[in-house]
Amino acid sequence: MDLVPALDEPLRKVLGPATAKVMAEHLGLHTVGDLLHHYPRRYEERGQLTHLADLPMDEHVTVVAQVADARLLTFASPKAPRGKGQRLEVTITDGSGRLQLVFFGKGAHKPHKDLLPGTRALFAGKVSVFNRRLQLAHPAYELLRGDGEEAIDKWAGSLIPIYPATAKLESWKIGKSIQTVLPSAQEALDPLPDSLRDERDLLPLPEALLKIHQPRTQADYTDARARLKWDEAFVLQVALARRRHADAQLPAVPRKPTPDGLLTAFDAKLPFTLTEGQQKVSKEIFDDLATEHPMHRLLQGEVGSGKTLVALRAMLAVVDAGGQAAMLAPTEVLAQQHHRSITEMMGELAEGGMLGGAEQATKVVLLTGSMGAAARRQALLDLVTGEAGIVIGTHALIEDKVQFHDLGLVVVDEQHRFGVEQRDALRGKGKRPPHLLVMTATPIPRTVAMTVFGDLETSVLDQLPAGRSPIASHVVPAADKPHFLARAWERVREEVAGGHQAYVVCPRIGDEEDGSAKKKSTEDEAEKRPPLAVLDVADQLANGPLQGLKVEVLHGRMQPDDKDAVMRRFAAGETDVLVATTVIEVGVNVPNATVMVIMDADRFGVSQLHQLRGRVGRGSAPGLCLLVTEMPEASAARARLGAVAATLDGFELSRIDLEQRREGDVLGQAQSGVRSSLRMLTVIEDEDIIAEAREEATAVVAADPDLTGLPALRTALQALLDEEREQYLEKG
């Protein structure tokens, strides 16, 4: 590996074993290069020099003054009950006024030695008031030797980098360590091709590293940030472009549907026409399936835009062409739901080998971990003989004993819940690499799709099928206006009286140990009580506002057969109100359900609320979603709920969600637990950079797939793709 020795130097050699150990354990930094890429989170301006007579409250100031006196006091405190607490009080003067400085505990030792009466120094800190006197608590200070006016101006005007720190390692200690290794920045190899850098007027990498850690002006760090964002975007996009390029070289069996086969028969019995979007996306998929290289496509769309139908048509096309298709669902409830809705949609076409089955029919089997032994044996037999063209299952599909006759297509539903290893294990079951269709029901902003799923071609369904009804959403502030909540339950009764059904969703099941229920969220003091639970709420509703209605519960800890029975009764209209956890979040389809009441809605994420809301309004009657919360009007949680109520556009909501959560979650979640490599780039703000970097990366890889002419870029890739990441990208 052509790595740069200076940047590859272990920190323990440069900083000593103790500091290096803390950096490795708490910040994941191991080499000089790692530390140079640990960028400041923000910069403090020490503030212009201020006279003590004119100190503003609550602002950061820098003063030049002389120590008048210093006293070390001891006191008793909860932490030091025997009077062992220490406080250093230093009085300083500059001729115009006096000011008190205070240092506590261990932080008092060094200033006690340094700040002797008569010493002149620069002091920087935030002005506060204590006992009606102005003071600076734990100010930063620099002793002035001699009378250098120049030194004073330079120190006061400079920007202080504030680093992401830990309790074990303060920002200023990290800053000192970085100053130690900063000379090595000169040896940093530049991963960006010269032409790209010149065209966009970007700083060379050594200069950018210098300016990000030691900016003299605002312009310095603005230029450095612009350059370092490009590094992250470009190197990541090159990794993804190389993966797309490598995938395009793999052999796959082309799967073209036979004319007048299963797909034609299925289309003929559909009681509606496909939307324009469904037709367009289906064509993209069929074109991919017909090629000799494996399809890698991400299908994303609005809640209820008909993704399952598009995926089913792709599976039928593969069965037509003599192959098998497997659909991987994240939960048993969802696998059973998909199996039920797909067999219903296919009718006699799903009864291959059975009496009354159509001539072109195939068999559709379900495979989950909790099936009985006999049913499981039969399902496994149907797969290995090729009798079953379509299998729908949970990760039970991945187990070693599951074998296929000829696996041609893998459909992964709700991508973000599957680790890469699981996807990989299923793909390994084909004799040659099967085609892959990844579905996500959470709309993803384009930039996230390019960053996280950059190796997949993306298809978007943004039209709702005809006959889908609008959903009205309202926030119900239960604490401020209790009568709104009473009215919510009246609305549920009205819908049921009109022949419809309702969901009530709660964050918790209610049969947990007490300890787990007491975990507090940090959102606000209003969250003192544990989240509402399904079992309690169902009980209160059945004996209170919804008395007389048929209320049932559904949650993840029920036995699979019980869950399935509850869903069947609800789908058949035998249950009026289903009180559930988020097990109903995805894929559950009961067109007669028109109301969704989400209790403690502030405890759910934006995308999750949008998913839940998509369970109603699936038939011809309009849907209603009520977001119940006890959070105060001014809280961030209420603003978030207001945003959900204000728009039905999932792509817009996913942007809001991401802006609030930062993309670490998104990348971490999608990248199988690998920590986000993005330190400078923000996926939403830097949309343009990501799009441009993707174009540049694609061109670079097309011209030189092995990056033979770009050794520095190859080195940067090796640093980004350590072994764990390399495997992640390999498996994709």
Side-chain angles (χ1 to χ4, degrees):
M1 275 169 96
D2 39 5
L3 285 170
V4 186
L7 295 199
D8 215 31
E9 189 83 26
L11 286 174
R12 65 174 180 280
K13 285 193 176 171
V14 190
L15 303 175
T19 307
K21 184 168 185 262
V22 177
M23 285 195 172
E25 284 176 7
H26 295 274
L27 296 169
L29 307 174
H30 303 277
T31 64
V32 168
D34 291 346
L35 183 54
L36 286 173
H37 288 292
H38 186 72
Y39 306 131
R41 190 174 47 217
R42 58 190 170 83
Y43 300 87
E44 285 288 4
E45 295 191 48
R46 285 203 168 98
Q48 295 315 303
L49 291 179
T50 315
H51 289 300
L52 293 183
D54 326 319
L55 287 179
M57 266 301 297
D58 276 341
E59 282 194 23
H60 286 276
V61 297
T62 303
V63 297
V64 176
Q66 199 164 16
V67 177
D69 70 72
R71 293 180 303 159
L72 190 63
L73 309 168
T74 54
F75 60 92
S77 74
K79 282 187 179 172
R82 297 195 185 131
K84 293 265 177 73
Q86 289 194 324
R87 181 171 77 240
L88 175 67
E89 291 182 357
V90 178
T91 307
I92 58 171
T93 175
D94 69 350
S96 74
R98 293 167 85 82
L99 177 67
Q100 189 171 52
L101 317 177
V102 287
F103 301 86
F104 293 98
K106 289 180 182 164
H109 299 327
K110 190 170 184 316
H112 189 218
K113 278 194 244 156
D114 290 344
L115 302 178
L116 304 170
T119 307
R120 197 155 172 269
L122 282 147
F123 301 93
K126 192 174 179 183
V127 183
S128 56
V129 172
F130 181 70
N131 279 346
R132 285 190 280 191
R133 287 171 62 194
L134 294 183
Q135 70 167 30
L136 295 182
H138 284 280
Y141 62 86
E142 183 104 329
L143 303 182
L144 293 173
R145 326 259 185 233
D147 195 30
E149 287 305 315
E150 205 179 300
I152 294 174
D153 284 346
K154 183 170 177 258
W155 195 83
S158 69
L159 297 163
I160 309 168
I162 305 295
Y163 290 94
T166 73
K168 296 260 194 270
L169 204 60
E170 299 95 332
S171 168
W172 63 269
K173 282 189 183 157
I174 295 171
K176 281 207 154 149
S177 301
I178 284 174
Q179 293 307 318
T180 308
V181 302
L182 206 50
S184 304
Q186 292 306 327
E187 298 192 39
L189 282 186
D190 202 322
L192 295 190
D194 296 347
S195 56
L196 188 156
R197 213 175 55 228
D198 297 343
E199 205 178 300
R200 293 190 160 70
D201 205 14
L202 298 169
L203 299 177
L205 182 57
E207 193 183 334
L209 289 170
L210 213 60
K211 285 185 169 171
I212 201 80
H213 292 298
Q214 257 185 358
R216 293 213 163 82
T217 61
Q218 301 270 4
D220 274 359
Y221 78 75
T222 307
D223 292 348
R225 276 171 62 95
R227 159 65 218 240
L228 295 166
K229 282 184 173 193
W230 252 96
D231 272 22
E232 287 179 6
F234 182 69
V235 174
L236 185 61
Q237 291 301 337
V238 166
L240 293 166
R242 286 183 78 188
R243 213 168 114 189
R244 281 198 303 277
H245 186 271
D247 284 341
Q249 314 305 311
L250 289 173
V253 180
R255 309 281 180 174
K256 294 180 185 165
T258 45
D260 301 327
L262 185 57
L263 180 62
T264 314
F266 175 75
D267 283 349
K269 67 191 288 297
L270 278 178
F272 50 81
T273 50
L274 299 177
T275 64
E276 218 174 289
Q278 285 174 320
Q279 288 173 3
K280 177 176 145 286
V281 169
S282 288
K283 183 180 181 320
E284 290 169 354
I285 291 171
F286 290 153
D287 288 349
D288 280 0
L289 290 174
T291 63
E292 295 182 353
H293 302 292
M295 165 173 82
H296 284 96
R297 191 165 280 280
L298 172 70
L299 171 58
Q300 59 160 330
E302 272 298 0
V303 179
S305 56
K307 289 183 294 292
T308 311
L309 178 62
V310 170
L312 174 56
R313 293 184 73 240
M315 293 197 284
L316 295 175
V318 169
V319 175
D320 255 354
Q324 290 169 293
M327 184 183 233
L328 193 57
T331 64
E332 294 211 346
V333 167
L334 195 51
Q336 287 162 342
Q337 177 78 29
H338 275 320
H339 182 252
R340 193 178 314 128
S341 63
I342 282 173
T343 46
E344 278 168 13
M345 275 198 269
M346 287 175 65
E348 71 278 9
L349 296 174
E351 294 169 0
M354 295 182 225
L355 221 59
E359 187 192 337
Q360 305 94 329
T362 185
K363 212 170 183 184
V364 180
V365 300
L366 176 70
L367 189 65
T368 63
S370 60
M371 281 168 76
R376 189 181 170 78
R377 250 198 320 276
Q378 185 58 53
L380 291 173
L381 189 65
D382 288 342
L383 285 180
V384 76
T385 59
E387 186 83 10
I390 294 177
V391 58
I392 295 150
T394 53
H395 28 254
L397 277 178
I398 296 166
E399 290 168 12
D400 289 346
K401 46 172 130 14
V402 179
Q403 290 181 341
F404 289 85
H405 177 64
D406 178 15
L407 180 60
L409 170 67
V410 174
V411 179
V412 180
D413 191 21
E414 278 309 284
Q415 149 63 20
H416 65 270
R417 306 205 186 171
F418 285 103
V420 171
E421 292 74 21
Q422 293 167 306
R423 239 164 72 187
D424 187 47
L426 188 52
R427 268 169 61 185
K429 291 187 178 291
K431 295 188 174 64
R432 289 167 91 177
H435 299 281
L436 175 71
L437 180 65
V438 169
M439 297 202 294
T440 170
T442 308
I444 308 171
R446 174 171 157 265
T447 40
V448 179
M450 286 191 317
T451 308
V452 179
F453 302 111
D455 59 314
L456 301 177
E457 296 300 326
T458 306
S459 294
V460 177
L461 278 174
D462 47 13
Q463 273 178 306
L464 289 189
R468 291 298 299 261
S469 305
I471 305 170
S473 306
H474 302 284
V475 178
V476 178
D480 312 352
K481 299 178 176 165
H483 60 287
F484 275 37
L485 184 58
R487 175 73 190 117
W489 301 126
E490 281 172 24
R491 280 292 288 117
V492 170
R493 293 193 83 96
E494 286 164 17
E495 288 294 315
V496 172
H500 296 296
Q501 293 160 280
Y503 296 102
V504 177
V505 176
C506 305
R508 207 161 54 86
I509 296 174
D511 57 359
E512 301 92 339
E513 297 296 306
D514 278 356
S516 69
K518 289 194 175 121
K519 270 203 255 174
K520 285 215 300 278
S521 166
T522 54
E523 175 75 47
D524 202 289
E525 282 307 292
E527 294 211 334
K528 282 284 164 59
R529 62 166 178 74
L532 292 171
V534 167
L535 302 177
D536 306 340
V537 169
D539 206 33
Q540 288 159 12
L541 292 177
N543 296 312
L546 302 185
Q547 200 166 8
L549 301 187
K550 179 101 172 67
V551 177
E552 285 211 71
V553 300
L554 179 71
H555 57 75
R557 280 218 287 277
M558 289 164 62
Q559 287 302 314
D561 290 352
D562 297 344
K563 278 192 263 193
D564 202 37
V566 168
M567 271 319 294
R568 277 180 193 280
R569 285 195 292 275
F570 189 65
E574 295 164 24
T575 307
D576 299 319
V577 180
L578 186 61
V579 183
T581 55
T582 53
V583 291
I584 61 152
E585 178 187 347
V586 176
V588 172
N589 185 23
V590 180
N592 192 44
T594 52
V595 198
M596 163 75 65
V597 182
I598 303 176
M599 308 302 291
D600 278 345
D602 47 273
R603 314 267 175 138
F604 298 97
V606 170
S607 296
Q608 208 173 19
L609 292 170
H610 184 56
Q611 277 299 331
L612 287 165
R613 169 170 65 186
R615 300 305 108 211
V616 295
R618 298 179 82 85
S620 52
L624 173 66
C625 176
L626 301 173
L627 306 167
V628 180
T629 178
E630 291 186 0
M631 297 302 275
E633 197 165 352
S635 63
R638 273 285 280 280
R640 199 167 66 228
L641 296 180
V644 175
T647 177
L648 287 172
D649 181 341
F651 287 92
E652 179 53 34
L653 287 173
S654 66
R655 284 184 78 97
I656 294 170
D657 197 16
L658 195 56
E659 277 160 2
Q660 288 177 341
R661 292 187 310 153
R662 294 285 306 198
E663 50 279 328
D665 305 8
V666 175
L667 296 175
Q669 185 182 46
Q671 300 210 359
S672 173
V674 174
R675 72 188 172 88
S676 165
S677 59
L678 305 187
R679 298 186 173 95
M680 196 57 89
L681 199 68
T682 48
V683 171
I684 288 290
E685 283 168 30
D686 299 319
E687 192 155 354
D688 299 349
I689 295 179
I690 291 168
E692 286 178 44
R694 182 179 165 116
E695 267 179 48
E696 292 279 359
T698 307
V700 164
V701 171
D704 180 4
D706 295 330
L707 309 178
T708 324
L710 296 164
L713 176 55
R714 232 180 25 245
T715 300
L717 269 181
Q718 285 163 343
L720 171 76
L721 308 175
D722 51 36
E723 265 180 46
E724 185 183 358
R725 247 172 222 279
E726 185 73 74
Q727 282 170 0
Y728 158 72
L729 283 177
E730 284 296 308
K731 287 175 179 176

